[in-house]
């Protein structure tokens, strides 16, 4: 970078000292291919290629007594087996009370771009590593991401396998070319749009939380991303069309998702994805359609996800729905609606959700919140949410109420405090729980963020969490 600056500075100085030759040499507008391509940040350039480098590191450490699991709230919300909303519980095991885990996530991304007759042409390589130690009841295990982790004792953390902890893997590797129309091929994330479906009340909704916030068909029933061929085209102002073939390598789907049977890699290979998106005039909307397992000539499962977000002066409205089915006749649906209004210092939000299907009971929930900006930098939130796991059966309801204060005590420091209560009329082992939490967040600039959070629960659980992260672009 210093060499590049020195060269540019020398050329500029030479230009100033030889102004008489300007007419012969012409006007020099740029000496750098990154500038001509509109690429900024940390870059290295040659005569025809610009290499942009980005990356980041995040760290999280948890300690306390929080590994208990006999306190299920909103069990199997959305009919998704193994997906529950829980609150921490203490768990004494032969005097081994303490739990802790430590995780480092690292990523490094390289994008090399050059100009072509069809628009910018680039190759992207993203490397990723996850190094994770987990100690439930003071028994240490170690794990990574999809490449796993070597078990030192106890159990490997959920979602981790037992080999190769912390190994760098190729998370993305693809080529692309184009401007208003872009063609992409290789290993990358999906073009599917599952957004415009976030509830606007501050606690959110129970089933929405289970599907990573929003609405969704049965989890992992249709595999996306991975080895892919994709086309994205902006066809009009604010209107974008996307089409792709994804999961071309084949990635088997697990059983137990709303009755969806397990698929072999051959059965699940190939997902057709199509998306229509619009963004403009305070409106965002999309429709995403998917068909899974098409390479063997049989559509194993299919799904649709649609969402809308509209902002009109002081009002914001969200509406979303998802539907999924398989070739065995199993289907699942999920809808959500939410609205928020701003009145001077007050903010009011209401949300509702419902879901069901052939392999899931009919379920419904709602939530609401009131926020007030009492002074500059200080906001109060009061809210609640409720969920009925089976509308046809009594004693299946759970709820949460909470009060929160968020205060910017300095330009770079924010303090958040929250007290709340989880309640249920479900039989044991479900538990009611009163809790309190406080968090100190620090963002001194330069992309660095850090926080310390402590929480205690009526169940006897307690946890302290430390986080720190930095990205460079």
């Amino acid at each position: 970078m210093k060499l590049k600056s020195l060269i540019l500075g020398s050329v500029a100085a030479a230009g100033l000292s030889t102004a008489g030759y300007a007419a012969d040499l012409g006007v020099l507008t740029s000496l750098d291919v990154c500038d001509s391509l509109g690429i900024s940040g940390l870059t290295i350039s040659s005569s025809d290629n610009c290499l942009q480098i980005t990356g980041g590191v995040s760290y999280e450490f948890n300690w306390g007594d929080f590994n208990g699991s006999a306190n299920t709230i909103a069990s199997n919300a959305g009919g998704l087996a193994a997906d529950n909303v829980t609150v921490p519980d203490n768990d004494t095991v032969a005097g081994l009370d303490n739990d802790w885990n430590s995780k480092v996530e690292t990523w490094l991304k390289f994008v090399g771009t050059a100009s072509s007759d069809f628009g910018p042409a680039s190759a992207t390589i993203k490397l990723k590593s996850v190094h994770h130690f987990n100690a439930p009841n003071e028994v240490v295990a170690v794990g990574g991401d999809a490449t796993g982790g070597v078990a030192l004792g106890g159990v490997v953390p959920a979602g981790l396998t037992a080999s190769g902890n912390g190994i760098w893997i190729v998370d993305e590797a693809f080529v692309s070319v184009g401007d208003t129309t872009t063609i992409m091929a290789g290993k990358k994330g999906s073009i599917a749009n599952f957004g415009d479906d976030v509830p606007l009340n501050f606690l959110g909704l129970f089933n929405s939380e289970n599907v990573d916030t929003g609405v969704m068909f049965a989890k992992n029933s249709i595999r996306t991303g991975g080895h892919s061929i994709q086309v994205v085209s902006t066809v009009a102002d604010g209107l974008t069309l996307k089409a792709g073939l994804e999961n071309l390598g084949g990635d088997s789907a697990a059983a137990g998702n709303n009755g969806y049977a397990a698929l072999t890699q051959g059965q699940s290979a190939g997902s057709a994805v199509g998306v229509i998106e619009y963004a403009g005039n305070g409106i965002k909307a999309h429709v995403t359609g998917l068909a899974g397992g098409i390479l063997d000539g049989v559509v194993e499962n299919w799904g649709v996800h649609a969402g809308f977000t509209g902002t009109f002066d002081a009002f914001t409205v969200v509406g979303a729905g998802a539907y999924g089915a398989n070739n065995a006749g199993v289907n699942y649906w999920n809808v959500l609606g939410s609205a928020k209004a701003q009145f001077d210092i007050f903010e009011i939000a209401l949300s509702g959700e419902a879901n069901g299907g052939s392999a899931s009971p009919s379920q419904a929930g709602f939530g609401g919140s009131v926020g007030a900006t009492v002074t500059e930098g200080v906001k109060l939130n009061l809210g609640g949410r409720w969920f009925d796991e089976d509308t046809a059966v009594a004693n299946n309801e759970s709820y949460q109420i909470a009060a929160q204060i968020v205060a910017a005590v300095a330009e770079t420091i924010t303090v958040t405090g929250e007290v709340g209560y989880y309640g249920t009329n479900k039989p044991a082992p479900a538990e009611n729980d009163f809790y309190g939490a406080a968090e100190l967040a620090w963002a001194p600039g330069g992309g660095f963020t850090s926080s310390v959070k402590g929480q205690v629960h009526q169940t006897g659980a307690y946890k302290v969490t430390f986080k720190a992260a930095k990205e460079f672009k």
Side-chain angles (χ1 to χ4, degrees):
M1 299 297 292
K2 292 183 178 179
L3 179 60
K4 171 182 166 182
S5 300
L6 179 61
I7 293 173
L8 291 174
S10 300
V11 171
L16 290 173
S17 62
T18 57
Y21 297 98
D24 296 330
L25 296 177
V27 178
L28 187 63
T29 59
S30 176
L31 295 178
D32 188 88
V33 66
C34 296
D35 294 336
S36 64
L37 291 169
I39 300 172
S40 59
L42 181 57
T43 59
I44 300 174
S45 60
S46 66
S47 59
D48 55 3
N49 274 276
C50 175
L51 180 64
Q52 184 184 49
I53 305 172
T54 57
V57 175
S58 64
Y59 177 71
E60 179 176 340
F61 176 72
N62 294 284
W63 178 89
D65 187 4
F66 53 85
N67 194 58
S69 58
N71 53 343
T72 302
I73 303 293
S75 172
N76 294 330
L80 304 179
D83 283 325
N84 308 306
V85 176
T86 62
V87 293
D89 196 0
N90 66 335
D91 55 338
T92 301
V93 179
L96 304 178
D97 294 341
N98 290 334
D99 309 307
W100 65 85
N101 54 66
S102 180
K103 181 170 68 172
V104 177
E105 296 190 40
T106 314
W107 64 276
L108 196 58
K109 185 174 182 178
F110 305 90
V111 181
T113 306
S115 61
S116 79
D117 293 339
F118 193 67
S122 66
T124 299
I125 301 173
K126 182 180 178 182
L127 305 177
K128 180 181 177 181
S129 172
V130 179
H131 201 218
H132 190 179
F133 291 90
N134 191 43
N137 303 317
E138 304 179 18
V139 181
V140 177
V142 59
D145 54 12
T147 61
V150 180
L152 300 181
V155 294
V156 176
L160 310 179
T161 59
S163 61
N165 177 53
I167 289 178
W168 283 88
I169 64 169
V170 178
D171 188 49
E172 291 183 332
F174 65 95
V175 295
S176 68
V177 64
D179 190 1
T180 57
T181 296
T182 304
I183 302 169
M184 297 164 284
K187 181 183 180 183
K188 67 181 299 292
S190 177
I191 58 171
N193 187 337
F194 297 132
D196 300 315
D197 62 351
V198 177
L200 302 175
N201 58 307
F202 107 86
L203 285 177
L205 296 167
F206 277 115
N207 185 67
S208 168
E209 183 176 315
N210 268 340
V211 295
D212 300 324
T213 308
V215 299
M216 187 55 67
F217 38 78
K219 270 188 175 180
N220 300 323
S221 60
I222 306 172
R223 302 303 220 198
T224 57
H227 290 202
S228 305
I229 303 170
Q230 303 165 341
V231 179
V232 176
S233 181
T234 301
V235 296
D237 187 21
L239 181 63
T240 301
L241 302 181
K242 302 179 181 180
L245 292 174
E246 303 182 356
N247 189 38
L248 296 177
D251 183 14
S252 59
N257 295 306
N258 279 345
Y260 282 63
L263 301 176
T264 66
Q265 288 184 319
Q267 287 178 304
S268 68
S271 296
V273 182
V275 183
I276 302 175
E277 293 178 348
Y278 175 78
N281 299 319
I283 294 175
K284 293 194 304 174
H286 76 273
V287 177
T288 296
L290 307 98
I294 66 173
L295 290 190
D296 62 357
V298 178
V299 177
E300 304 289 347
N301 41 45
W302 61 276
V304 177
H305 186 286
F308 168 89
T309 301
T311 302
F312 312 100
D313 296 326
F315 297 91
T316 302
V317 178
V318 171
Y323 181 87
N326 67 10
N327 59 11
V330 178
N331 62 75
Y332 177 75
W333 58 270
N334 184 194
V335 295
L336 181 151
S338 188
K340 181 176 68 174
Q342 186 77 42
F343 302 103
D344 194 18
I345 67 171
F346 295 101
E347 180 181 279
I348 300 174
L350 296 173
S351 303
E353 63 182 349
N355 50 276
S358 60
S360 172
S362 295
Q363 302 176 323
F366 64 84
S369 63
V370 176
T373 304
V374 292
T375 63
E376 184 177 358
V378 178
K379 183 176 181 179
L380 300 177
N381 291 307
L382 176 65
R385 57 178 179 169
W386 172 90
F387 190 76
D388 188 344
E389 296 179 40
D390 190 339
T391 58
V393 178
N395 299 327
N396 276 279
E397 295 83 30
S398 301
Y399 64 90
Q400 179 191 8
I401 56 174
Q404 182 189 71
I405 181 170
V406 181
V409 298
E411 186 175 348
T412 61
I413 299 175
T414 302
V415 175
T416 303
E418 182 175 323
V419 293
Y421 183 79
Y422 283 93
T424 183
N425 59 11
K426 294 171 55 182
E431 298 182 44
N432 297 325
D433 176 58
F434 177 79
Y435 70 91
E439 181 181 47
L440 176 67
W442 180 43
F448 178 87
T449 59
S450 182
S451 65
V452 177
K453 180 178 180 179
Q455 55 182 298
V456 293
H457 294 261
Q458 176 187 344
T459 58
Y462 57 92
K463 181 163 70 170
V464 178
T465 301
F466 171 79
K467 295 181 180 180
K470 167 73 171 73
E471 292 186 351
F472 59 89
K473 299 179 180 181

